[in-house]
Amino acid sequence: MIKKMNHFMDMDEEFTLLENSRYVLLPIAYDGTSTFVKGADKGPQAILDASDSLELYDIQYGMDASVAGIYTDQHDYDFSTPDAMVQSVYQRVKHYLGTGKTIGLLGGEHSVSVGSIQAMSEIHPNMTVLQIDAHADLRDDYHESIYNHACVMRRAQDYARVVQVGIRNVCSEEMHNLVPENVFYAHHIYNNEDWMEPALERLTDNVYITFDLDGLDPSILPATGTPLPGGLQWYPTLKFLEKVIRAKNVVGFDVVELCPEPDNKVSDVLAATLVYKIITLLEMKRSK
């Protein structure tokens, strides 16, 4: 039986305490506007549970980032409406801003990112949102809500520049909201790395990373709400994240849209590994 985890990774208790942590993770179990596969509300707990299987020492990067401290927040959000959810997340992120800690969200559907992006943009006015995703998410509204998961990046454009990587699904309405020089389509980048430097050049100094797991190919991560073929692979994605974190000031991040499958934990482990890789890369930069 998988042990239910209340905090990220199987660390000594001292490294899970808020006062000892440089990182704060906010699990946000919301799935109020998903329109295909439901279950993203179970994503945060699945990530926490899967993190128990990971080693604290990262052999790829040669370090144990857990000693920086990773606190897993416990908070009851208002999920009564999409608007209330966004405001509730916004207030919780603001609660931690100014503490010197790096904040990461565990989704939950992609709409949980909106409140975090808004809060981050208020203290980082020249911020870029780097979106890794299969979908543009640029609808003005969808299913009678401007906070539907299909509208996330349209809302993000109210607060920041948006650079989109891995996109392979765009509706005609969204074409009016695309900024062509800021979009790196999956079919253009799948067989080369020439796109990485141009993508870096489109980012400002301060970057918020929003990582929708359907940006990855379903061959390596099938458990997501709206999977699409032709997605990103693991090592090229890590290489790009390395470049971003090395070159830019990453002010926060989120990993969203995991819809766990009861009998297949591969996607859960990948999502947990991705969260820890991001933290490890941030710690590597800090230690230099």
Side-chain angles (χ1 to χ4, degrees), residues 35-56:
T35 50
F36 187 42
V37 178
K38 287 288 191 180
D41 56 320
K42 299 177 177 61
Q45 187 62 55
I47 291 173
L48 296 180
D49 292 344
S51 74
D52 184 41
S53 72
L54 305 182
E55 297 293 347
L56 300 177

Side-chain angles (χ1 to χ4, degrees), residues 2-278:
I2 294 174
K3 178 173 65 177
K4 185 173 182 178
M5 298 286 286
N6 293 320
H7 54 78
F8 188 72
M9 306 286 285
D10 187 14
M11 301 181 288
D12 290 341
E13 184 178 358
E14 66 176 302
F15 300 120
T16 69
L17 301 176
L18 178 60
E19 59 267 28
N20 297 336
S21 296
R22 277 200 289 272
Y23 298 88
V24 173
L25 297 180
L26 309 183
I28 306 175
Y30 180 72
D31 190 25
T33 74
S34 296
T35 50
F36 187 42
V37 178
K38 287 288 191 180
D41 56 320
K42 299 177 177 61
Q45 187 62 55
I47 291 173
L48 296 180
D49 292 344
S51 74
D52 184 41
S53 72
L54 305 182
E55 297 293 347
L56 300 177
Y57 183 80
D58 188 305
I59 190 66
Q60 180 179 0
Y61 297 119
M63 73 179 302
D64 177 355
S66 71
V67 296
I70 305 171
Y71 174 72
T72 305
D73 188 49
Q74 305 294 325
H75 183 70
D76 291 327
Y77 295 90
D78 183 352
F79 293 159
S80 58
T81 66
D83 306 56
M85 180 277 298
V86 169
Q87 181 63 21
S88 186
V89 173
Y90 167 78
Q91 293 295 343
R92 194 59 179 170
V93 172
K94 283 196 71 172
H95 171 77
Y96 285 110
L97 290 178
T99 64
K101 302 180 188 300
T102 298
I103 303 167
L105 275 57
L106 308 180
E109 64 165 69
H110 205 166
S111 58
V112 305
S113 307
V114 176
S116 183
I117 291 167
Q118 180 183 358
M120 294 283 182
S121 72
E122 291 177 358
I123 63 169
H124 302 288
N126 186 29
M127 186 180 81
T128 299
V129 177
L130 170 60
Q131 173 201 12
I132 298 176
D133 203 327
H135 307 84
D137 291 344
L138 286 172
R139 296 175 189 262
D140 288 308
D141 61 85
Y142 195 59
H143 288 198
E144 301 181 343
S145 174
I146 64 170
Y147 294 119
N148 188 281
H149 72 113
C151 311
V152 179
M153 290 303 114
R154 185 64 178 137
R155 302 287 76 76
Q157 287 178 332
D158 294 335
Y159 308 111
R161 174 186 293 185
V162 174
V163 172
Q164 304 177 287
V165 171
I167 305 301
R168 50 197 189 275
N169 202 51
V170 184
C171 75
S172 57
E173 174 193 340
E174 293 173 303
M175 293 300 295
H176 300 293
N177 298 323
L178 283 172
V179 180
E181 62 268 29
N182 290 348
V183 184
F184 296 82
Y185 292 106
H187 63 282
H188 289 159
I189 68 176
Y190 76 95
N191 62 347
N192 67 81
E193 295 179 357
D194 297 342
W195 62 274
M196 293 188 184
E197 291 302 325
L200 280 175
E201 291 172 2
R202 299 304 303 161
L203 303 175
T204 52
D205 289 340
N206 294 319
V207 175
Y208 179 94
I209 299 172
T210 180
F211 200 119
D212 186 327
L213 290 164
D214 68 28
L216 297 170
D217 193 78
S219 64
I220 63 171
L221 194 141
T224 187
T226 46
L228 277 175
L232 303 174
Q233 295 294 326
W234 178 248
Y235 283 111
T237 302
L238 278 187
K239 184 171 183 178
F240 180 55
L241 289 175
E242 288 174 23
K243 288 177 176 289
V244 171
I245 292 171
R246 188 183 307 122
K248 304 296 179 179
N249 176 37
V250 173
V251 301
F253 67 92
D254 62 61
V255 174
V256 299
E257 292 285 354
L258 175 67
C259 292
E261 300 172 346
D263 299 322
N264 187 343
K265 302 302 178 184
V266 170
S267 298
D268 306 1
V269 172
L270 189 154
T273 302
L274 176 63
V275 172
Y276 197 46
K277 290 287 186 185
I278 292 172

